[in-house]
Amino acid sequence: MAEDREKPVLPINRIGRGGPIAPLELQRFFPPLTAIIERLSRLTRPNGRLGVVYLSIGGCGSLEERYGWKEVDTILKSLSRSLSRVSSAIDREILIAEAPGAADDFLCFLPTLPEEFDLQEVQAIASRMERELALRLDESLGNEVSRLFIISVGYGVARYHPQIRFERLISRMCKEALLAAEVRDQRVRKSQIERLRQILERNEIRAVYQPIIRLDDRDVVGYEGLARGPKGTDFELPHMLFSVAMDGGLSWKLESLCHAAIFQGLSRMKNGQSLFVNTLPSVVENLRLSQLSDGLVGSDLPSRIVLEITEREAIKDFRRFSNALAHFRQEGFRVAIDDFGCGYSSLEAVAHLLPHFVKLDRTIVSGIHSTTIKHEIAKSITDFARKIHCEIIAEGIEEEEDRKALQDLGIPFGQGYLFARPSENPFGSNGAAPKPPPAGA
């Protein structure tokens, strides 16, 4: 996500991970660092120790895409209160400030440390704060949502000397804490890549399926196949699964296993139902058809598969990608553009790829019954799709009012929690999604 920035006042405003700071106003949960410098200076004794714990709350971008920035700000506000309570439980005075350049990064200063206090003792305080924050996240949000957050921790300690400008001392110490957090993050990521490598070697990728339904009669017309890692692990979350794979150069191997797991659902689906499969553009460009669809070519199964071009990465060369995609079309595969209306999914993609389906992004779908601009955007997309003989599937439908508004616009298909959550075996139903209870029930 685009990072929020704070207007610079002192050189220490460049310690944040994002580099130079742009002058944007932020939702404040703690005072800015510049506002507590004077108090820090008064509390720090000459030749005494000063410690800092750097806490970064990562993962906010994924949550904003799913729930919206207002919900994420509410969560961060709750976290800031938790951080204050955690700090009060530690038997030392702590001053907390927002790190310059990041509204979800915090600096926790320990200004009254005794002279013998060393880095290991600051590390112990940092570890305690990290554990308490993770616990409070679980308690308030539940394990599934809390695991989307990534808490990064770093720490530093310095001896105050009157001959050293205090702001410069703070800047050096904060940079030390930031570097410690980055080094720790690199170690964690290296460990995650190795764990994922083992998961792939043991072929522990599994598939879940979410029904795609016809909005007027709720008949199930197909399923979107989604990949998941082992249950009870961080890799159960697709965001973790695919981001670690990308960092570790394991995307192709992961995609191959994901497709193999998802394609197993075809034998359990009814005739006439389609299987939608998320596919990276780079996979389409670089893998042979047989590698993606081993056992499918030469049968009638490709005609039941829709390759959903995901927006996790951009299409760099539309002509090259279209040529690669043509081989799949010749075998009977159909094409959908995922997350239409945001990210890389654009009119340019539609013009070049001529998809059979476009999937209307959840950011447009959510609240469409009460938001005029979303309604008009969806109406324009619907009119455009009709003219090019392309079907629309609305993603992320959670409210009956939104379903009705989408149906009134002439959008034929949809999926979302209103109908069913993804599950490993949704195929045993009578072929229709559950209907809502009667009004007033």
Side-chain angles (χ1 to χ4, degrees):
M1 74 176 177
E3 294 179 86
D4 293 330
R5 297 299 183 207
E6 175 189 12
K7 185 176 180 179
V9 179
L10 296 174
I12 52 177
N13 284 64
R14 294 183 181 269
I15 66 171
R17 296 188 180 209
I21 312 303
L24 296 181
E25 291 297 323
L26 307 176
Q27 167 71 53
R28 292 214 177 279
F29 306 105
F30 291 103
L33 177 54
T34 51
I36 68 167
I37 288 289
E38 184 178 347
R39 187 179 175 196
L40 269 176
S41 178
R42 289 199 308 268
L43 290 173
T44 305
R45 297 187 296 268
N47 297 316
R49 295 275 184 172
L50 173 66
V52 65
V53 175
Y54 170 90
L55 286 168
S56 174
I57 313 298
C60 293
S62 300
L63 283 163
E64 282 189 330
E65 291 176 5
R66 181 176 297 188
Y67 301 109
W69 66 267
K70 291 183 179 179
E71 291 294 330
V72 172
D73 269 9
T74 299
I75 292 171
L76 287 174
K77 187 174 182 180
S78 175
L79 272 181
S80 67
R81 290 195 295 266
S82 296
L83 186 57
S84 297
R85 289 193 293 268
V86 169
S87 301
S88 65
I90 298 172
D91 190 23
R92 296 197 177 278
E93 183 166 10
I94 296 180
L95 296 182
I96 304 176
E98 287 186 0
D104 43 14
D105 290 4
F106 308 104
L107 295 166
C108 307
F109 291 94
L110 298 95
T112 57
L113 300 180
E115 189 172 344
E116 66 275 8
F117 218 76
D118 60 18
L119 190 62
Q120 287 185 335
E121 290 170 290
V122 176
Q123 178 185 3
I125 292 176
S127 297
R128 180 177 176 184
M129 295 179 78
E130 180 183 15
R131 287 194 303 271
E132 291 291 335
L133 267 185
L135 180 62
R136 293 182 191 277
L137 270 172
D138 275 351
E139 290 174 347
S140 59
L141 302 176
N143 184 255
E144 182 179 351
V145 176
S146 68
R147 282 191 294 167
L148 292 172
F149 285 99
I150 302 169
I151 302 176
S152 297
V153 178
Y155 43 86
V157 66
R159 184 190 301 274
Y160 175 53
H161 193 287
Q163 293 294 101
I164 300 175
R165 182 178 175 177
F166 190 73
E167 290 87 351
R168 190 169 290 118
L169 178 72
I170 293 294
S171 179
R172 290 172 183 168
M173 187 172 60
C174 290
K175 287 179 180 178
E176 178 186 346
L178 174 61
L179 179 60
E182 290 176 342
V183 169
R184 182 175 181 268
D185 287 349
Q186 290 170 4
R187 288 200 305 267
V188 169
R189 201 56 157 183
K190 185 177 180 180
S191 173
Q192 289 172 338
I193 290 170
E194 183 55 35
R195 284 166 53 206
L196 178 57
R197 199 184 307 276
Q198 294 172 3
I199 287 171
L200 299 182
E201 288 174 356
R202 294 193 293 262
N203 193 10
E204 294 179 336
I205 301 300
R206 58 195 179 87
V208 295
Y209 303 86
Q210 186 174 39
I212 296 172
I213 65 101
R214 192 180 292 114
L215 292 181
D216 55 2
D217 59 12
R218 294 178 180 250
D219 278 351
V220 177
V221 298
Y223 296 87
E224 180 177 359
L226 303 163
R228 298 289 187 267
K231 289 183 179 180
T233 71
D234 290 344
F235 292 102
E236 187 176 4
L237 303 172
H239 172 74
M240 175 68 76
L241 194 64
F242 288 98
S243 65
V244 173
M246 188 168 292
D247 289 348
L250 299 170
S251 292
W252 286 6
K253 176 66 173 176
L254 174 61
E255 288 282 330
S256 178
L257 293 178
C258 288
H259 289 139
I262 290 169
F263 287 156
Q264 292 178 17
L266 277 169
S267 62
R268 293 177 283 165
M269 291 167 50
K270 295 183 177 181
N271 289 333
Q273 292 179 336
S274 299
L275 178 61
F276 288 70
V277 184
N278 287 287
T279 307
L280 288 173
S282 59
V283 172
V284 172
E285 289 182 6
N286 294 289
L287 291 185
R288 296 190 303 273
L289 181 63
S290 60
Q291 289 175 285
L292 178 64
S293 54
D294 188 29
L296 299 177
V297 177
S299 69
D300 65 341
L301 293 180
S303 64
R304 297 178 59 191
I305 295 175
V306 181
L307 299 179
E308 225 176 272
I309 308 305
T310 177
E311 60 97 46
R312 289 200 304 270
E313 65 181 29
I315 298 173
K316 298 177 182 178
D317 185 334
F318 276 103
R319 178 172 294 180
R320 176 184 173 185
F321 182 75
S322 296
N323 290 337
L325 200 58
H327 297 290
F328 292 89
R329 290 181 185 272
Q330 290 170 6
E331 292 292 339
F333 291 87
R334 287 172 293 165
V335 177
I337 293 179
D338 195 16
D339 302 316
F340 190 81
C342 77
Y344 302 112
S345 301
S346 63
L347 293 176
E348 183 181 16
V350 172
H352 282 87
L353 305 184
L354 301 176
H356 301 83
F357 302 91
V358 292
K359 301 190 80 172
L360 191 63
D361 188 70
R362 66 182 66 244
T363 57
I364 299 174
V365 169
S366 179
I368 192 171
H369 73 280
S370 60
T371 310
T372 301
I373 189 167
K374 291 184 178 183
H375 185 277
E376 292 304 310
I377 290 172
K379 183 177 183 297
S380 297
I381 293 173
T382 303
D383 293 341
F384 169 71
R386 188 178 295 116
K387 290 176 182 177
I388 64 171
H389 308 291
C390 177
E391 301 277 20
I392 295 182
I393 301 170
E395 293 186 292
I397 304 175
E398 298 186 6
E399 302 292 337
E400 173 61 21
E401 292 85 354
D402 288 338
R403 184 205 65 80
K404 181 66 166 58
L406 293 162
Q407 182 183 339
D408 290 345
L409 280 171
I411 293 175
F413 307 116
Q415 66 185 103
Y417 287 176
L418 176 66
F419 313 112
R421 291 175 177 266
S423 64
E424 292 191 45
N425 186 24
F427 310 110
S429 67
N430 60 4
K435 293 177 172 55

